[in-house]
Amino acid sequence: MLNWDPPKLEGKIEFDGFWLPRQGAELAKTIDAAWDIVFWVSVILFFVVMVPVCYFAVKYRRRSEHDVTSEMDHNLKLEIIWTVLPTILVIWLFFVGLRGYIDASVPPGGAYEIQVEAQRWNWSFIYPEGFRSPKLVLPSGRPVKLILASKDVLHSFYIPAFRTKQDVVPGLYTTLWFEPLEPMKTLIFCTEYCGKDHSNMLADVEIMSQGDFQSWLRDYKRKKFDETPPVELGKQTFAERGCPSCHGVGGEGTAQAPPLKGLFGRNENLADGTTIMVEENYLRESILAPSAKIVRGFQPVMPPFQGTLEEPEIRGLIEFIKTLK
C-alpha cells in the first residue's frame, strides 16, 4: 500500500491580543478599528441601558399590594433623545463599515495578480511567471490581487490574519486583494462546506520581503523541475492538482474514477467495447484529454490538463502512476 502524506503545513494562527489574530495585511487595520468601535459602543450602551434598568427595578419594586404604578406614561424629551442619538450612532457606524467595504472591494492599479484555483480539497496558486505553487507566497508592502475560480463546487477563501474572505463560485471569477505587512507565516481556510475533507482544505501563506520574494520566484521553478526526481515531482503534482479527491490518496480509485494501483501494464476495458493496454502514451492522453478514452463503468468527469501542465509534470505523473503497485 502506498504511504501518501498530505503537504505539511508550516503556517499557524498567532494572536497578538485577546480577540483577533495577528494582523497580516493593511486591510486588517481598518477591519480591526471598525471591530473595536462596534465592540466598545456595544459595551458602553449595555451599561447605559442595564445599569438604570437594574437600579429602577430595585428602587421602584413593588413593596406591598397597596403600591400603585405611576400615572406618567411617557417623557417626550427622553424619547426624542433616545431616538435621535441612536440614529446618529447607527449612521456613523454605517459609514465606518462602508469605508472598510470600499477599501476591500477596489484593488489599486498595478497590483500583483495571482490566480487561485480551488478544487476538493486543495488550493493551487498560479503565478504570472508561469508556475503553480501549493502555498501562497506574497511580497510584503505590495498590493496583491487574487483572481479566484473553482473547478467543482462552492468554496470560500479565508485568511484570518488578513481579515479577508471571498466565496469561490463554479463558473464565475471572484476577486480579492490585500497588501501584506511584515514577513510571517499563516494559514488559508475553506469556510464553505464542500464535502467530507472540507476541514482539511488548508494551505500555507508566507509573506516575504521584496528581495526574498524575487529570489523565491527565480528559484522555485528551477528547483521544482530541474532538481526534483520525476516520481517525487509526479507525487507532488498528483496532490497539488486535486487528483486524490477522485482517484484516492493511494491511487485506489473511487466511484468517480478508476483505480490507479497496478494500472500500468494491464489491459483496460473501455466504454466503447474495446480493450487497451495501459502504457506511457495512454497515460499521457488520459491526463491531457481524458474524454478521449473512457473506462467502462465511469463517466467523463475528469477535466483536461492540456495546456495547464508542464512537460516535466506530465512525465512525473506517469512515473508516479507506475509506482502504484
Side-chain angles (χ1 to χ4, degrees), residues 10-27:
E10 301 175 353
K12 59 182 180 180
I13 304 298
E14 302 177 15
F15 286 84
D16 281 339
F18 181 76
W19 295 109
L20 299 171
R22 173 186 168 191
Q23 294 177 350
E26 195 69 34
L27 181 64

Side-chain angles (χ1 to χ4, degrees), residues 82-96:
W82 193 242
T83 301
V84 172
L85 289 183
T87 301
I88 295 173
L89 182 61
V90 168
I91 293 173
W92 176 57
L93 292 177
F94 169 79
F95 283 103
V96 169

Side-chain angles (χ1 to χ4, degrees), residues 212-224:
D212 289 344
F213 179 72
Q214 293 302 322
S215 297
W216 179 82
L217 288 177
R218 289 193 299 269
D219 294 343
Y220 182 83
K221 192 170 183 178
R222 175 180 58 81
K223 288 181 180 179
K224 182 173 183 179

Side-chain angles (χ1 to χ4, degrees), residues 49-114:
V49 173
M50 295 310 298
V51 169
V53 166
C54 294
Y55 172 76
F56 292 134
V58 174
K59 181 175 177 60
Y60 298 105
R61 69 188 184 278
R62 186 176 184 184
R63 292 179 172 84
S64 73
E65 61 183 29
H66 301 294
D67 286 349
V68 295
T69 59
S70 171
E71 295 180 356
M72 181 180 295
D73 58 359
H74 74 280
N75 185 306
L76 181 60
K77 183 185 296 184
L78 183 61
E79 290 171 357
I80 292 175
I81 293 173
W82 193 242
T83 301
V84 172
L85 289 183
T87 301
I88 295 173
L89 182 61
V90 168
I91 293 173
W92 176 57
L93 292 177
F94 169 79
F95 283 103
V96 169
L98 180 63
R99 176 191 172 191
Y101 174 78
I102 293 174
D103 288 345
S105 300
V106 184
Y112 183 73
E113 292 190 1
I114 300 174

Side-chain angles (χ1 to χ4, degrees), residues 283-294 302-306:
L283 291 177
R284 180 184 179 87
E285 183 183 41
S286 297
I287 293 168
L288 300 181
S291 296
K293 294 181 175 66
I294 305 300
M302 178 174 166
F305 288 93
Q306 181 74 49

